Amino acid sequence: MNMSKDFKDKVVVITGASSGIGECTAILFAQHGANVVLCGRDEGRLSSALQKCLEKSVGNADKHLEVQGDITDSRVRRRIIQQTMDKFGHLDVLVSNAGIMTENISLEDATEEAFDLTINTNVKAGFFLIQEAIPHLEKSQGCIIVVSSITSSIADTDEIIYGMSKAAVDYMTKTYALGLAPKGIRVNAINPTSVSSTRLERYYCSEEESKLSYLKYASNQPLHRRNSTPEEQAQTILFLASPAASFITGQCVKVDGGSSLVGPQVEY
């Protein structure tokens, strides 16, 4: 399916665009002719992602924009939308991808600090960023794609706060879809399994632990017996943003190789 014409001159805002799924999504939209607004906290990685977009896209530096900052800050959220409108004058697609995965936190070890950080980043920030974007997406009859997780529907005592935050994201997606349908705005989510990315690597304390956990998750994937790639997740986001998905809204699409069918490998 050739979607290059579908996104020519469309404006796409992507949070968490400095690595992993967000970076791959930004590059993919750039390859398909979109104007991409990359948002992230790490200035160095964000600039690197922007350069990759420029290398893959047709056009010059005016084609894309980077906005550095933490989206848990309301001023950053407003700046993302305002700078997008100042530069391009419209907004067509919002990809709410920014999120945080804290280290393993069990029922007994959970702290209020970890709870607040996770909920504020994964739920609150995305909720209010969407709110900022609604007037502009209504004008363009645009769409929203939220990056959730399969942990939203699988009980795992080692990821209780993260899983709770993603369950809230799924509910938010469905409710926003219902509320924004009369405005012509579609809202969907993807629910990835474990993805090979720097975020997964940072989740573990050591390289050895990262490797063992990577192999454990990979062995639990019914399809291909491997973890997903960021590119596979990005392709699904691209589809959901395209006219090919024009009658799809309120859906949480599992891109997980069937891993949600078997659940987590719990050791007792």
Side-chain angles (χ1 to χ4, degrees), residues 52 99 104 137 159 161 191 196 216 231 248 251 265:
K52 292 175 185 177
N104 283 1
L137 290 170
E159 295 185 348
I161 298 176
N191 297 74
S196 305
K216 174 184 175 181
E231 290 81 5
I248 300 176
Q251 302 305 304
Q265 292 182 336

Side-chain angles (χ1 to χ4, degrees), residues 4-62:
S4 295
K5 293 182 179 179
D6 295 337
F7 296 107
K8 186 177 185 299
D9 298 325
K10 297 290 187 182
V11 177
V12 182
V13 169
I14 303 170
T15 64
S18 60
S19 65
I21 294 173
E23 181 183 56
C24 286
T25 301
I27 294 169
L28 193 59
F29 273 108
Q31 287 177 314
H32 285 79
N35 301 302
V36 183
V37 180
L38 299 91
C39 313
R41 292 179 298 178
D42 189 300
E43 186 174 1
R45 291 207 308 265
L46 193 61
S47 295
S48 174
L50 175 62
Q51 185 58 41
K52 292 175 185 177
C53 286
L54 292 172
E55 291 170 358
K56 296 293 184 179
S57 64
V58 177
N60 53 38
D62 288 337

Side-chain angles (χ1 to χ4, degrees), residues 113-180:
E113 181 182 18
F115 186 96
D116 290 344
L117 177 62
T118 305
I119 297 300
N120 286 342
T121 306
N122 294 358
V123 185
K124 180 181 176 181
F127 180 92
F128 286 107
L129 180 64
I130 291 172
Q131 192 180 79
E132 289 278 346
I134 288 172
H136 310 292
L137 290 170
E138 182 177 9
K139 291 178 182 177
S140 66
Q141 297 289 279
C143 66
I144 300 163
I145 299 96
V146 184
V147 177
S148 182
S149 168
I150 60 164
T151 60
S152 65
S153 57
I154 300 174
D156 187 343
T157 56
D158 285 335
E159 295 185 348
I160 181 169
I161 298 176
Y162 180 73
M164 287 171 62
S165 74
K166 293 302 184 178
V169 165
D170 286 359
Y171 184 84
M172 177 185 75
T173 297
K174 296 172 185 177
T175 306
Y176 258 135
L178 183 63
L180 298 181

